[in-house]
């Protein structure tokens, strides 16, 4: 009898599913070495930004800081619990926007530079004579340096047409100033060929100037900065405002393209990046573009300007834009002054000391970002790693600065120092252009106040050519004296001014809206014409009399002749 067949082998036990990968460890804050000093800094900054939010900002003296240090009961972050949002009951004092009046900025005719600046400019003028540069006038002076305009001359000594350059020279003896100048110059080199960012200048025979550690040689924007321009417009608000809305859209277009150029520098962006031979930094301008969908798209720079305001946007000559960059007679507006600019990446949020003591207080208080002044900081123990607003810097940070500039340009009024609605002081809920999302909190709510602008269509199209004073009576303060803007433009500016960074539009979104609008408007019968542009830009700016340049040239020649200093002075 045959043996029974062996039993079938037992089924193999099913394999256990692979273990789920462990979640990445939460980022940990990088703490400063001296926590006692860090807590003292937190205490001081907490009080400082409370005053900023309440519109009481003033330059703090050492006595102010000493007084704060003696108050033991002042709270040091973090507050207990989670941030409730908003202002947590801190009622600010709302400052109404101030009208832009002439004479508020630095005027080279009345605000004579100190002896230090004048002496430095004379030394500089003598130093660059061998490089075919002749002193014209001082454009501005500040705590760390000065900006001087020079004429470029031909080899025979004759003025070379309208070719002029600006030399920024550091005169401060502060430690590290040379390194700061070097870093700013490197940013200009990185932004080469971006037509909406102020460019390095390369006049013939002056290349050696670029090798000097305390000098930056830049293109000259003859219409000055937006601050000075709006002061001229504001000499009589019933005379120069409102400006045609098409001009406002063109200015908005320039500012956004400048931000795109900072985030995606043309030399690092297709079609220039990776070309052989390498692209020439002195080549023709290339219109800034967001490289979405392009092969080999560069990594965003994450550069934050930190000083984006009307004083650092300059108005160039006509005809200097890139090919295809139609300004419709409006001169190009160019972002400048990169001295405070720095990349801030999301992974940098772990650095407690830099977040609190560097980036939070960088820039002018009147143009601080919600990422800097938000009350959410009072619930941050050390580093703002997981915050919604506090320390959340990115592309959207420059967008807020553009929104502030546009709000001031539209209304002809300075933005209040706490960037709030007149008399209210808090962001308000608004329905903004992306209709698929709920309303958002915006610091642009004051643009809805009919005291500052009107969305009622004026007689004669998008912007009346007739001065409002003629329509409403000289000095009248009626509806005709308020700038008209479309609801589309107003809402786009308010969107840029959203409190929460993630709720602001992207560069691409804003650019798409602007291009769509301008394309449609250029086909309209009432689109802005040369007469209207002349109405806004066609008036002379204050200049130092030309004789001063000749006087300085003669003075230098006499000093050289008498052997007071060599013609080739050391350039630093």
């Amino acid at each position: 009898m045959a043996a029974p067949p062996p039993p079938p082998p037992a089924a193999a036990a099913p394999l256990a599913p692979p273990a789920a990968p462990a979640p990445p460890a939460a980022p940990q804050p990088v703490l400063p070495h001296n926590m006692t000093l860090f807590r003292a800094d937190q205490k001081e900054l907490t009080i400082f930004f409370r005053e900023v939010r309440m519109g009481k900002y003033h330059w703090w003296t050492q006595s102010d800081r000493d007084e704060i240090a003696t108050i033991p009961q002042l709270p040091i972050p973090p507050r207990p619990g989670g941030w409730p949002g908003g202002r947590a009951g801190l009622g600010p004092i709302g400052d109404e926007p101030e009208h832009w009046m002439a004479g508020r900025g630095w005027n080279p005719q009345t605000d004579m530079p100190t002896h230090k600046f004048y002496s430095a400019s004379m030394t500089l003028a003598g130093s660059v004579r061998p490089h075919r540069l002749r002193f014209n006038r001082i454009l501005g002076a500040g705590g760390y340096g000065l900006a001087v305009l020079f004429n470029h001359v031909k080899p025979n000594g004759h003025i070379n047409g309208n070719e002029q350059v600006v030399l920024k020279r550091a005169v401060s003896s502060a430690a590290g100033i040379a390194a700061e100048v070097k870093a700013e110059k490197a940013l200009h080199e990185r932004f080469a060929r971006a037509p909406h960012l102020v460019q390095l200048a390369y006049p013939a025979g002056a290349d050696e100037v670029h090798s000097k550690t305390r000098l930056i040689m830049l293109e000259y924007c003859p219409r000055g900065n937006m601050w000075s321009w709006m002061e001229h417009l504001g000499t009589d608000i019933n005379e120069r405002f409102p400006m045609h809305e098409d001009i406002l859209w063109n200015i908005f277009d320039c500012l956004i393209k400048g931000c795109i150029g900072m985030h995606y520098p043309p030399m690092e962006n297709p079609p220039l990046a990776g070309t052989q031979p390498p692209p020439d930094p002195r080549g023709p301008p290339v219109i800034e573009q967001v490289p979405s969908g392009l092969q080999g798209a560069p990594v965003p720079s994450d550069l934050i300007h930190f000083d984006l305001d009307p004083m650092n946007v300059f108005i160039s000559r006509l005809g200097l834009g890139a090919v295809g960059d139609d300004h419709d007679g409006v001169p190009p507006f160019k972002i400048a002054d990169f001295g405070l600019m720095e990349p801030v990446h999301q992974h940098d949020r772990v650095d407690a000391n830099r977040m609190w003591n560097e980036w939070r207080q960088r820039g002018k208080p009147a143009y601080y970002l919600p990422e800097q002044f938000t009350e959410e900081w009072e619930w941050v123990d050390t580093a703002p790693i997981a915050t919604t607003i506090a320390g959340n810097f990115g592309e959207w940070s420059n967008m807020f600065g553009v929104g502030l500039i546009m709000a001031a340009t539209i209304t002809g009024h300075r933005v209040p120092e706490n960037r709030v609605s007149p008399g209210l002081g808090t962001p308000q809920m608004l329905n903004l252009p992306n209709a698929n999302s709920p309303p958002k909190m915006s610091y642009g709510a004051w643009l809805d106040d009919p005291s500052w602008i009107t969305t009622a269509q004026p007689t004669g199209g998008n912007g009346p050519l007739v001065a409002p004073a003629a329509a409403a009576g000289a000095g009248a303060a009626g509806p005709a004296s308020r700038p008209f803007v479309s609801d589309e433009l107003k809402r786009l500016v308010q969107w840029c001014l959203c409190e929460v960074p993630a709720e602001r539009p992207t560069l691409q979104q804003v650019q798409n809206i602007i291009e769509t609008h301008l394309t449609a408007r250029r086909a309209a019968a009432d689109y802005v014409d040369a007469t209207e542009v002349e109405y806004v830009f066609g008036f002379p700016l204050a200049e130092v009399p030309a004789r001063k340049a000749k006087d300085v040239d003669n003075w230098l020649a006499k000093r050289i002749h008498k052997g007071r200093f060599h013609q080739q002075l050391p350039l630093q």
Side-chain angles (χ1 to χ4, degrees):
M1 183 174 179
L15 295 176
Q28 298 299 310
V30 178
L31 302 178
H33 296 297
N34 188 333
M35 284 299 296
T36 301
L37 180 60
F38 176 73
R39 293 301 186 192
D41 291 338
Q42 280 185 303
K43 181 179 182 179
E44 178 180 314
L45 287 170
T46 297
I47 303 305
F48 173 80
F49 277 98
R50 284 186 181 183
E51 296 208 348
V52 168
R53 289 192 298 270
M54 295 174 69
K56 294 182 177 179
Y57 172 77
H58 63 279
W59 292 108
W60 280 20
T61 64
Q62 188 58 48
S63 62
D64 295 323
R65 294 183 170 89
D66 293 342
E67 181 180 356
I68 289 173
T70 63
I71 305 176
Q73 301 303 319
L74 288 179
I76 298 176
R79 290 198 195 186
W83 180 51
R87 292 295 183 86
L90 287 181
I93 299 174
D95 289 343
E96 292 191 356
E98 182 182 7
H99 172 49
W100 234 290
M101 295 299 293
R104 302 291 182 89
W106 192 86
N107 187 328
Q109 293 195 65
T110 57
D111 301 338
M112 293 305 295
T114 64
H115 175 75
K116 177 180 72 171
F117 290 126
Y118 192 78
S119 176
S121 67
M122 296 303 97
T123 301
L124 178 61
S127 300
V128 298
R129 283 180 64 84
H131 303 287
R132 294 165 51 186
L133 299 176
R134 298 293 182 269
F135 177 91
N136 184 297
R137 64 181 181 274
I138 297 175
L139 297 175
Y144 289 96
L146 73 163
V148 184
L149 178 65
F150 284 84
N151 296 323
H152 182 237
V153 299
K154 300 176 181 179
N156 61 8
H158 294 165
I159 297 295
N160 190 8
N162 290 323
E163 188 169 3
Q164 296 173 302
V165 298
V166 175
L167 289 184
K168 287 182 64 175
R169 186 184 191 280
V171 297
S172 170
S173 58
I177 192 69
E180 293 178 11
V181 173
K182 181 179 180 180
E184 184 174 356
K185 188 184 299 184
L187 286 168
H188 279 285
E189 293 170 348
R190 188 175 182 183
F191 298 147
R193 301 175 65 173
H196 298 95
L197 300 172
V198 168
Q199 297 290 292
L200 294 174
Y202 298 97
D207 281 359
E208 184 184 344
V209 176
H210 285 292
S211 65
K212 308 308 175 184
T213 59
R214 300 176 73 88
L215 281 177
I216 305 178
M217 184 161 57
L218 301 169
E219 65 172 313
Y220 174 50
C221 296
R223 302 212 66 79
N225 60 31
M226 287 189 72
W227 184 283
S228 299
W229 172 63
M230 285 192 275
E231 282 183 333
H232 280 273
L233 292 177
T235 54
D236 184 349
I237 194 170
N238 290 325
E239 190 171 313
R240 295 286 179 178
F241 285 100
M243 72 178 73
H244 200 293
E245 184 180 329
D246 292 336
I247 295 176
L248 296 171
W249 280 99
N250 276 279
I251 295 172
F252 207 165
D253 185 43
C254 288
L255 296 176
I256 291 300
K257 285 177 177 173
C259 289
I260 293 173
M262 291 188 290
H263 212 55
Y264 300 100
M267 296 286 286
E268 303 170 10
N269 190 355
L272 288 182
T275 58
Q276 296 296 329
D280 182 3
R282 306 188 192 189
V286 177
I287 297 177
E288 304 92 340
Q289 60 177 318
V290 177
S292 56
L294 296 177
Q295 187 176 5
V299 176
S301 69
D302 287 338
L303 286 164
I304 315 301
H305 192 285
F306 282 116
D307 204 12
L308 193 52
D309 63 63
M311 296 187 72
N312 291 328
V313 177
F314 286 78
I315 307 173
S316 185
R317 295 184 178 93
L318 291 174
L320 293 185
V323 175
D325 191 19
D326 188 0
H327 286 86
D328 306 305
V330 178
F333 283 61
K334 295 171 173 268
I335 296 173
D337 202 340
F338 309 140
L340 298 183
M341 184 183 291
E342 192 170 359
V344 184
H345 310 287
Q346 285 294 303
H347 59 75
D348 291 325
R349 296 173 69 174
V350 300
D351 192 328
N353 190 57
R354 297 198 73 188
M355 278 287 169
W356 278 87
N357 288 315
E358 289 187 34
W359 296 318
R360 189 183 180 190
Q361 51 187 317
R362 182 169 293 190
K364 299 181 182 74
Y367 291 88
Y368 276 152
L369 309 167
E371 295 90 306
Q372 296 170 299
F373 68 74
T374 177
E375 195 181 20
E376 187 180 17
W377 282 96
E378 297 195 17
W379 279 263
V380 175
D381 183 15
T382 53
I385 294 174
T387 49
T388 302
I389 304 173
N392 188 10
F393 298 106
E395 166 190 321
W396 43 82
S397 302
N398 294 327
M399 192 67 68
F400 192 88
V402 169
L404 291 177
I405 294 172
M406 285 305 303
T409 309
I410 288 170
T411 63
H413 288 74
R414 292 189 180 97
V415 177
E417 285 200 334
N418 51 351
R419 298 153 311 285
V420 299
S421 306
L424 297 176
T426 56
Q428 296 182 50
M429 198 71 73
L430 297 174
N431 289 305
L432 297 171
N434 51 342
N436 295 328
S437 64
K440 297 176 174 60
M441 299 295 285
S442 171
Y443 279 94
W446 66 285
L447 294 176
D448 282 334
D449 186 337
S451 300
W452 308 114
I453 63 174
T454 178
T455 54
Q457 179 74 23
T459 302
N462 243 44
L465 176 60
V466 178
S481 67
R482 296 195 302 271
F484 160 79
V485 297
S486 64
D487 193 67
E488 181 184 14
L489 177 58
K490 182 180 70 171
R491 291 301 181 205
L492 184 55
V493 173
Q494 291 172 327
W495 192 9
C496 293
L497 293 173
C498 277
E499 179 183 38
V500 177
E503 294 182 348
R504 296 173 206 153
T506 65
L507 290 168
Q508 187 66 74
Q509 286 175 314
V510 177
Q511 188 60 37
N512 289 344
I513 293 173
I514 292 174
E515 288 182 353
T516 299
H517 177 89
L518 285 176
T519 299
R521 282 294 305 149
R522 284 170 182 146
D526 61 342
Y527 187 63
V528 64
D529 58 21
T531 304
E532 188 76 32
V533 173
E534 179 71 14
Y535 174 67
V536 175
F537 293 99
F539 53 90
L541 299 182
E543 295 183 354
V544 171
R547 62 176 178 79
K548 285 187 176 294
K550 182 178 180 181
D551 291 346
V552 172
D553 224 30
N554 290 338
W555 179 86
L556 287 169
K558 292 178 181 178
R559 304 285 282 187
I560 293 170
H561 178 72
K562 293 180 180 180
R564 298 295 177 88
F565 50 71
H566 298 293
Q567 183 170 351
Q568 177 65 60
L569 294 179
L571 272 178
Q572 295 182 348

